[in-house]
Amino acid sequence: MSEVPNVFSKKVADRYLKREVLGEGTYGVVSKAIDTKTGQIVAIKKIRLGKHKEGVNFTALREIKLLKELKDPHIIELIDAFPHKGNLHLVFEFMETDLEAVIRDRNIVLSLADIKSFLQMTLKGLAFCHKKWVLHRDMKPNNLLIGDKGQLKLADFGLARIFGSPDRKFTHQVFARWYRAPELLFGSKQYGPGVDVWAAACIFAELLLRRPFLQGSSDIDQLGKIFAAFGTPKPAQWPDMVYLPDYVEYQFVPAPPLRSLFPMASDDALDLLSKMFTYDPKTRISVQQALEHRYFTSGPLPTEPAKLPRPHPKRESLNTRVSDFNQQEGPTVLSPPRKSRRVMPQRDGFEENAHQVEKSDEHVNDIRQATGERMSWNEHAPMSIDFSVFGSRPPPRPTINSADKSRLKRKLDLEFQQPDQD
Ligand SMILES: Nc1ncnc2c1ncn2[C@@H]1O[C@H](COP(=O)(O)OP(=O)(O)OP(=O)(O)O)[C@@H](O)[C@H]1O
């Protein structure tokens, strides 16, 4: 802590002694603090009220009260909430690190049992909230906090509902897109718990690959990445898709075998993944069903939380993230006709991919070498495959013209510019 005198003595609401800033997220700055009433270390999130300048409305206050009552071993406890100098302060239990730090720490080897344990705790937290009819809507590894005994807890639960969908203009918010379900990307306004299941599946995939699985650079590109991985959905597979507000037709591409994307995963893991990544939210597995999947009872059993690997010191700058991840190439957006605009994943590269992926471990090692990945992981180490290595040449740039581009962007990003109505 560099400027101890300034921050150390700051007392908020006659109870909390604010310490250093831990970071800044979508809704505002988070600081470490001591609760003088209990002696407990806490994290205080100062919510910028922004559009809600007139104050937090009654509904928001009621929702916050509800969040305070959501108590579960896998949910971050909201200890207190109070207004201070025109900002709303939310006081949470303090957590040591988060899942993003675990995934990114290359000194950490994650065994299949560790991955199972992290996923199980994530799903347990979600199951508790879904039972209480609360959705998370912004699941991503940095919202999964990890305590000093290895316990994983979901953070930021319900905030999207209270304060509106996060404003994607914040740099760090681009990551949230990678975890968005296809129905959200197609503009669905009547989504349900399936959005959290999709996001949990992306996190499961990320634990296996040790890199974000579907790194779209725009909402259109995100759908392109999803379709490249699982095949373009046919209407029979997802009948409601064509009626979604922002539906655009994408060129059909077949799905490569799931095994080719996750060579190290067990059959049970792949089966669960495919059920969580089901396109139609109506047939997507629920969190409770996912928890009852045989993946969790077949060996290796989930590692006990206290025995899970944890990074040493945490807390890196939010700004380092973009450059850390190797962004994948975007899909090709074909020119109009407007109504039948099509977006297609990089087809050539992908066919090559499908051909190549009938592979052995030897092939996996080739890919590792091609991507410059470390070879030091042991047998249990998860691996990571970069889609882009399959295509030998970079895809052509999107040919969509700028007027159409801004129209499409407006359409697809609309919900981020307005607080949610629900
Ligand atoms: N309960 C907590 N205990 C310890 N650190 C926390 C806690 N909550 C948040 N932090 C840390 O504070 C910083 C900001 O967190 P915040 O949740 O506001 O944003 P974020 O998770 O980084 O991004 P986003 O808002 O996009 O989810 C992060 O470094 C986060 O790990």
Side-chain angles (χ1 to χ4, degrees):
M1 210 170 66
S2 48
E3 294 159 355
V4 176
N6 280 344
V7 283
F8 188 78
S9 54
K10 201 171 170 194
K11 202 164 184 185
V12 203
D14 263 350
R15 177 168 168 180
Y16 303 99
L17 273 177
K18 264 200 186 176
R19 304 286 294 257
E20 72 267 28
V21 168
L22 293 167
E24 183 168 4
T26 311
Y27 300 101
V29 174
V30 181
S31 309
K32 194 169 179 175
I34 296 172
D35 182 348
T36 55
K37 199 168 146 194
T38 61
Q40 194 186 352
I41 298 180
V42 293
I44 301 187
K45 188 171 280 199
K46 186 166 93 182
I47 308 263
R48 278 186 298 258
L49 289 176
K51 287 175 191 143
H52 308 263
K53 278 215 173 67
E54 68 290 351
V56 191
N57 65 31
F58 182 72
T59 317
L61 287 175
R62 201 180 50 199
E63 297 267 357
I64 290 168
K65 194 163 177 290
L66 274 176
L67 285 190
K68 275 179 81 175
E69 282 154 21
L70 275 188
K71 289 205 168 84
D72 180 81
H74 299 293
I75 304 291
I76 287 285
E77 188 186 346
L78 175 57
I79 299 169
D80 194 6
F82 57 89
H84 183 70
K85 291 191 180 161
N87 292 310
L88 180 66
H89 289 63
L90 301 181
V91 182
F92 295 97
E93 59 181 313
F94 178 82
M95 300 291 275
E96 204 174 74
T97 186
D98 61 52
L99 194 63
E100 186 189 28
V102 171
I103 292 172
R104 286 176 55 207
D105 189 331
R106 291 291 154 183
N107 295 315
I108 289 182
V109 172
L110 288 180
S111 70
L112 296 177
D114 298 340
I115 293 173
K116 201 173 280 191
S117 180
F118 284 125
L119 180 68
Q120 191 178 45
M121 291 191 277
T122 305
L123 293 175
K124 281 183 178 173
L126 275 180
F128 174 80
C129 291
H130 287 181
K131 267 185 214 137
K132 308 254 174 202
W133 302 99
V134 180
L135 302 187
H136 191 291
R137 305 205 306 187
D138 201 21
M139 290 273 294
K140 49 195 172 176
N142 63 330
N143 276 340
L144 303 180
L145 303 185
I146 296 173
D148 57 1
K149 294 181 185 67
Q151 70 281 29
L152 178 149
K153 301 192 182 199
L154 277 55
D156 280 358
F157 229 103
L159 294 193
R161 183 174 155 89
I162 303 173
F163 301 106
S165 285
D167 188 340
R168 309 286 151 173
K169 276 179 263 166
F170 287 108
T171 326
H172 51 275
Q173 269 304 317
V174 299
F175 303 103
R177 178 187 299 118
W178 300 340
Y179 306 90
R180 283 173 80 78
E183 63 269 27
L184 289 176
L185 294 161
F186 274 143
S188 172
K189 302 279 183 278
Q190 287 163 333
Y191 51 82
V195 299
D196 289 338
V197 175
W198 184 276
C202 295
I203 294 167
F204 186 11
E206 188 164 334
L207 281 162
L208 292 163
L209 301 173
R210 297 295 290 268
R211 70 190 310 122
F213 176 41
L214 302 162
Q215 302 177 50
S217 55
S218 65
D219 289 356
I220 293 174
D221 185 41
Q222 187 65 36
L223 281 162
K225 291 276 173 2
I226 292 171
F227 298 161
F230 306 116
T232 315
K234 297 187 180 129
Q237 216 176 332
W238 182 8
D240 297 335
M241 170 179 69
V242 294
Y243 302 112
L244 291 175
D246 298 326
Y247 172 71
V248 281
E249 192 187 345
Y250 279 66
Q251 177 155 335
F252 179 76
V253 286
L258 198 57
R259 155 88 41 230
S260 68
L261 304 178
F262 302 97
M264 309 294 267
S266 66
D267 288 346
D268 286 340
L270 286 188
D271 187 73
L272 177 56
L273 256 186
S274 68
K275 289 180 169 138
M276 294 174 81
F277 274 131
T278 297
Y279 279 131
D280 186 347
K282 285 188 179 146
T283 51
R284 194 174 299 151
I285 196 171
S286 71
V287 168
Q288 190 52 44
Q289 288 164 335
L291 276 170
E292 287 160 16
H293 191 278
R294 65 175 179 274
Y295 168 69
F296 291 109
T297 45
S298 61
L301 292 178
T303 308
E304 275 172 48
K307 292 187 181 150
L308 285 168
R310 290 205 299 282
H312 285 303
K314 200 223 137 177
R315 311 286 172 220
E316 291 175 45
S317 160
L318 289 161
N319 302 332
T320 57
R321 289 188 199 152
V322 177
S323 52
D324 282 358
F325 293 131
N326 180 11
Q327 293 264 345
Q328 295 162 10
E329 300 290 353
T332 304
V333 182
L334 302 180
S335 302
R338 276 177 183 255
K339 269 289 166 205
S340 58
R341 186 170 294 110
R342 295 152 84 89
V343 184
M344 71 174 199
Q346 194 19 242
R347 199 182 167 91
D348 295 348
F350 214 79
E351 278 176 351
E352 227 169 290
N353 173 0
H355 173 70
Q356 283 189 14
V357 287
E358 275 298 289
K359 68 185 150 337
S360 57
D361 284 351
E362 196 184 338
H363 176 76
V364 169
N365 285 337
D366 289 346
I367 296 167
R368 281 184 176 177
Q369 266 159 357
T371 52
E373 261 183 59
R374 290 195 189 170
M375 302 296 290
S376 57
W377 297 334
N378 69 19
E379 264 304 282
H380 300 290
M383 61 155 304
S384 168
I385 292 191
D386 186 343
F387 272 99
S388 60
V389 300
F390 294 118
S392 48
R393 61 198 152 84
R397 300 315 305 154
T399 55
I400 193 165
N401 72 39
S402 58
D404 284 321
K405 202 157 129 192
S406 61
R407 182 183 154 273
L408 259 181
K409 195 179 159 353
R410 263 205 320 277
K411 206 172 166 208
L412 290 177
D413 288 343
L414 202 58
E415 72 175 289
F416 305 138
Q417 288 156 17
Q418 308 168 332
D420 281 2
Q421 304 300 310
D422 57 340

